[in-house]
Structures are given as structure tokens and as C-alpha cells.
Amino acid sequence: MKEKVIIGCDHGAFELKEKIKKFLAGSGYSVSDAGVYNEERADYPDIAEKACGEFLSGGYAFGILCCGTGIGISIAANKINGIRCALLHDLYTAEMSKAHNNANFIAFGGRVSYADPVESMIMKFIKTEYEGGRHEGRLQKISSLEHHL
Ligand code: RB5
């Protein structure tokens, strides 16, 4: 069965989201699109909420969020319990976001120029395994921050 991925973006990354969808579909993934569906202005927290809610309903391997910089939408996603959204910059951060942080979302900016192609960063994230071990306690500490007052 095809692995499922959820993707969402605001107007600042519509083109990038469409490009990523094509790439993932061509790589054998089943992609669910949480919007936006055109370049009309949208608020990235709404898309983060929708995509993360869908992810948490179950059955998804991971999620991808994009806005102009990737910053706003990743900040919004990380407010939601259970979400670890990593804003990737290059192949190194793509690898570490899985190996050390076991991110369940990755984020990109549609207006950002990356030295490494976004497709390569996605594949690096997919192919890397979470190392567990000493990182597990740190992830548990992140989870406990969800209850911080
Ligand atoms: C929208 O203009 C822009 O602010 C948004 O896409 C994102 O870059 C925010 O972090």
C-alpha cells in the first residue's frame, strides 16, 4: 500500500507545493492536499491547523508545510500537541530532523533560494532513520513542554 503524506501551504508557496505534490506522486506516495488551492491570500496558521489535524487523525507517514519562508507555518504547526515540524535548510538539516528529532512534519519556504533541491531534502528526510537512544528522552522533554503553563 502507498504511504500517505499530507501537504499544505499558503499563497507564498503555492507553486512549490504543487511541485512537491508532483514529485511525491511520481515517487509512489499518496498525497493529500490541505490547501491552499490557488494563489489567493490565506493565513498560514489556518493551513497548519488543517494539515496537522488531518495528520493526527492517523495513517500518514509525515507532513509537509510551506509558506513564503517556511517560518510562520512551522511555528504555527509546532504549537499543536504531537507535532514536531522541522524547518529545513539543506541536506544536513533534512537528515538531522529525522535522525535526532524524529520530525513528523518538514517545512520549506516558497520564496527561499535553497542550495540543495527541495526534492533532495525530502528524499534525505524519508531515507534517514530516527536514531532513538539518547534522543528519545529529549523528545519526551519536548512533549512535556506541551503542558507548560
Ligand atoms: C505571507 O506573505 C508570508 O508572510 C508567509 O507566507 C510566511 O512567509 C510567513 O512566515
Side-chain angles (χ1 to χ4, degrees):
M1 208 175 69
K2 284 184 177 182
E3 288 211 292
K4 278 171 54 176
V5 176
I6 179 81
I7 190 164
C9 71
D10 76 355
H11 55 285
F14 177 70
E15 239 177 71
L16 176 61
K17 183 199 67 168
E18 294 302 304
K19 187 170 97 161
I20 293 173
K21 269 168 63 181
K22 276 199 196 99
F23 170 70
L24 285 174
S27 306
Y29 286 85
S30 161
V31 186
S32 294
D33 189 346
V36 295
Y37 307 108
N38 56 47
E39 287 181 324
E40 269 172 44
R41 207 167 282 206
D43 293 335
Y44 55 80
D46 297 337
I47 302 300
E49 184 181 17
K50 188 174 170 195
C52 293
E54 177 62 19
F55 174 83
L56 292 170
S57 74
Y60 290 90
F62 67 98
I64 301 181
L65 290 170
C66 306
C67 65
T69 57
I71 297 171
I73 204 158
S74 58
I75 291 173
N78 281 316
K79 298 284 181 192
I80 298 173
N81 288 357
I83 301 300
R84 287 184 303 280
C85 181
L87 179 56
L88 303 189
H89 306 290
D90 51 23
L91 292 173
Y92 176 70
T93 51
E95 184 179 353
M96 290 301 116
S97 69
K98 177 67 82 54
H100 289 188
N101 311 115
N102 201 19
N104 47 23
F105 268 82
I106 51 177
F108 299 102
R111 298 172 183 154
V112 176
S113 302
Y114 294 108
D116 299 314
V118 165
E119 293 89 336
S120 306
M121 290 191 256
I122 294 170
M123 284 321 290
K124 178 64 89 177
F125 173 78
I126 288 172
K127 300 249 181 263
T128 301
E129 300 229 338
Y130 172 50
E131 289 174 12
R134 71 186 190 281
H135 302 293
E136 195 50 35
R138 294 164 184 164
L139 296 194
Q140 279 167 19
K141 287 187 178 187
I142 291 176
S143 297
S144 71
L145 292 175
E146 291 170 352
H147 310 290
H148 196 272
L149 295 178

